Amino acid sequence: MTEQEIRQQILQRFYSRLAADPAARAALRRIDKGKATLADTAVLSDRAADLLGEVLGAAVLDIPEDVREAVCEGLLREQYDSTMNTCDGVLEALDSAQGLHLTPQHPGFPIERVQQLASSLTDPNAKPETIRRRASKPVATVAKSFHDSYIRINAQTRHDLGLKCYLDRVAAPGCCAWCTGIAGRYVYGEHPKDIFRRHDNCSCTVTFENGRERQDVWSKRTWDAKDPKEIERVASRPARLTQQQAEQLQENAVSRLTLAGERDIMRSIDVDDYETVTYGKGIAKEVSNVILDTMKQCERDGGFIISEISTKVVPTSTHGTPILQIEPMSNGLLKLNVNANFLAGKTLAEVDEAFRITETNVVNSLMEAVIHESGHAISIKGKTMQEIKTLYKELKNAGLPGVSDIALADGAECLAELEVLRHRGTKVSDELAAFYKKYMGRDYE
């Protein structure tokens, strides 16, 4: 069978499942009758994404490896086009009812992300159950992002056209600590950068107010502000926040997330996440295991969460291009960047040796390099981007002697180096121990 024939077979199974799904059928009925809002397209997109992942996950091992990538990419392109077309029809109808004549905008198809995911489905080193998992949930996650990206770009377009508005994020009952903390009302443009962010299974709502109407930026559902029920709902919401208050609210949410339990959805990266991102980069399994296993231990010890991983390392102006790098994200979470170009094709012994012969720092192995980066993570966990900038500015010329060259040149590096020495059980001066405690929030042991 050709790639196209295989893809059509899977699509037939997918459409059959979608047509039998009660939530999807209800949304489709409202869309067909011209009575839908983008709340309905959101439901349809969510159910379609989950079902597409389930169908592909069940079939992926029966697809020849030489066409598996093309089948996956083709299915996601089909879902992208379907999402765009459905949303366009609903949004144009809603705009027309309000006397607006705007051309809906389309976000770009995330080709790099899709190709990376598709490539991971032919990994010869992955177990069959791993391939099935990659074809299921990650595919559903990418498919769901099409709808969210559509809403984001069209909401931004309306703002750019001069429609002044206020944003309200209302937390759903029983939602996670991050969603609870970021809920509130904000002036558009002074809101937390991630007010539109939604994790898996998130049912929170974000609305914007424009004149007499309020409109949901995900569902685009409008209602009259004079409705007594709506007045009661608005009165129960938090007061309008300044940008400073918004950032503080986001910081509090992140702080709770850092100590969150299993019910919180924002999670640490796992083996599948790592393998999907690094697949095809030529990083040895023994090298990957050290990175993942050590970082997991450091997360538990340091109370931080690495929620994303990337192979795009940002070069530094003073120390060249790092092999590993912690990057803060605007939502207060952390990303681990892995220099795949350096690690590709090297054994663990070769990587360890590269660290051992370096004379500017105390790191002697890949494991200690991970611990070093965990020191950076501990120093910035739970902080806003502005607080991180302020911290790094304060630490820029605050290095201390007695550790290493980079520890003397930069206080942030000094903290990371001290984290390595702490794990070794190396005793340090009282001055260094006090410096560590001041910025890391715990005793040097």
Side-chain angles (χ1 to χ4, degrees):
M1 293 178 66
T2 66
E3 175 269 326
Q4 185 174 5
E5 290 172 335
I6 294 172
R7 178 158 47 88
Q8 287 303 316
Q9 272 195 357
I10 294 175
L11 282 173
Q12 288 176 3
R13 298 173 201 163
F14 162 66
Y15 289 133
S16 177
R17 293 280 303 276
L18 190 66
D21 185 85
R25 289 174 60 185
L28 283 167
R29 282 197 298 269
R30 286 190 287 272
I31 292 170
D32 291 340
K33 292 179 180 179
K35 297 181 179 181
T37 70
L38 287 187
D40 299 305
T41 64
V43 170
L44 180 60
S45 173
D46 186 78
R47 293 303 304 136
D50 284 337
L51 292 173
L52 180 63
E54 290 177 13
V55 170
L56 181 58
V60 66
L61 296 179
D62 296 324
I63 303 174
E65 290 192 8
D66 61 336
V67 297
R68 195 177 290 172
E69 292 183 37
V71 169
C72 179
E73 183 177 337
L75 290 171
L76 285 169
R77 282 189 177 275
E78 291 265 3
Q79 184 57 25
Y80 170 86
D81 290 340
S82 176
T83 300
M84 297 302 109
N85 292 334
T86 301
C87 289
D88 279 353
V90 173
L91 184 57
E92 287 172 348
L94 290 171
D95 284 345
S96 178
Q98 299 175 30
L100 298 174
H101 301 283
L102 304 174
T103 301
Q105 303 298 303
H106 289 183
F109 181 73
I111 183 63
E112 182 177 348
R113 184 182 182 190
V114 169
Q115 288 180 341
Q116 192 172 53
L117 173 57
S119 295
S120 73
L121 302 183
T122 59
D123 183 356
N125 297 317
K127 296 179 180 179
E129 57 266 29
T130 298
I131 296 297
R132 281 195 293 267
R133 282 200 304 273
R134 291 177 183 175
S136 182
K137 185 176 179 181
V139 165
T141 298
V142 171
K144 289 179 182 181
S145 74
F146 301 154
H147 191 275
D148 286 340
S149 296
Y150 183 94
I151 298 305
R152 182 193 297 270
I153 194 173
N154 282 285
Q156 180 64 49
T157 297
R158 282 157 172 70
H159 171 70
D160 292 343
L161 290 173
L163 298 176
K164 185 177 181 180
C165 56
Y166 303 92
L167 295 178
D168 288 281
R169 176 159 181 147
V170 180
C175 64
C176 71
W178 188 85
C179 288
T180 301
I182 204 172
R185 190 180 191 199
Y186 312 89
V187 177
Y188 195 101
E190 298 181 1
H191 56 277
K193 293 179 181 179
D194 288 312
I195 192 170
F196 293 98
R197 183 182 178 96
R198 288 199 291 173
H199 52 69
D200 292 343
N201 303 315
C202 179
S203 56
C204 299
T205 62
V206 176
T207 61
F208 72 80
E209 175 185 351
N210 179 32
R212 290 177 64 251
E213 291 182 333
R214 294 179 173 82
Q215 198 173 45
D216 192 312
V217 300
W218 289 330
S219 74
K220 294 296 186 292
R221 185 187 301 277
T222 60
W223 60 88
D224 193 326
K226 291 184 178 180
D227 185 329
K229 294 182 179 179
E230 173 54 23
I231 293 174
E232 180 180 351
R233 287 177 60 190
V234 173
S236 66
R237 293 174 180 164
R240 194 173 77 187
L241 303 180
T242 65
Q243 186 170 10
Q244 182 178 4
Q245 290 170 323
E247 294 294 345
Q248 181 63 50
L249 189 61
Q250 187 169 0
E251 176 196 354
N252 293 342
V254 170
S255 296
R256 285 196 294 276
L257 177 61
T258 302
L259 302 175
E262 293 182 357
R263 68 181 293 271
D264 290 299
I265 312 258
M266 294 292 188
R267 61 176 178 82
S268 173
I269 58 170
D270 58 21
V271 174
D272 284 349
D273 297 325
Y274 178 90
E275 290 183 349
T276 299
V277 169
T278 60
Y279 176 72
K281 304 295 184 181
I283 303 177
K285 184 70 172 178
E286 59 180 355
V287 172
S288 297
N289 287 344
V290 169
I291 294 173
L292 274 174
D293 294 345
T294 306
M295 188 56 79
K296 290 293 183 184
Q297 294 173 9
C298 290
E299 282 181 321
R300 291 191 292 269
D301 176 60
F304 61 88
I305 291 176
I306 303 295
S307 63
E308 291 190 20
I309 188 166
S310 169
T311 56
K312 296 180 179 179
V313 178
V314 180
T316 63
S317 58
T318 55
H319 305 301
T321 303
I323 297 174
L324 297 171
Q325 181 184 59
I326 291 293
E327 180 184 348
M329 297 188 294
S330 60
N331 53 28
L333 299 179
L334 303 171
K335 179 193 294 185
L336 174 64
N337 296 329
V338 178
N339 190 335
N341 290 333
F342 174 85
L343 296 173
K346 291 183 175 65
T347 65
L348 178 59
E350 290 172 332
V351 175
D352 284 344
E353 178 65 10
F355 284 111
R356 190 190 65 78
I357 64 177
T358 302
E359 298 179 351
T360 59
N361 59 46
V362 301
V363 171
N364 282 327
S365 65
L366 176 59
M367 182 184 73
E368 290 192 340
V370 176
I371 294 170
H372 176 100
E373 291 308 310
S374 80
H376 287 302
I378 295 169
S379 70
I380 64 175
K381 67 176 182 180
K383 289 182 170 60
T384 65
M385 294 298 289
Q386 184 56 51
E387 287 174 331
I388 293 172
K389 291 178 182 178
T390 300
L391 173 65
Y392 282 162
K393 184 177 180 180
E394 180 180 340
L395 291 172
K396 184 176 181 180
N397 298 311
L400 295 174
V403 180
S404 66
D405 290 348
I406 63 171
L408 179 60
D410 189 307
E413 294 296 339
C414 185
L415 292 171
E417 293 281 85
L418 285 171
E419 187 62 24
V420 176
L421 296 180
R422 173 182 173 274
H423 274 259
R424 287 183 190 171
T426 303
K427 292 188 178 297
V428 297
S429 67
D430 291 343
E431 181 183 21
L432 287 170
F435 180 77
Y436 179 93
K437 182 175 182 178
K438 176 181 178 181
Y439 290 103
M440 303 293 256
R442 61 181 183 178
D443 291 330
Y444 181 93
E445 299 173 355

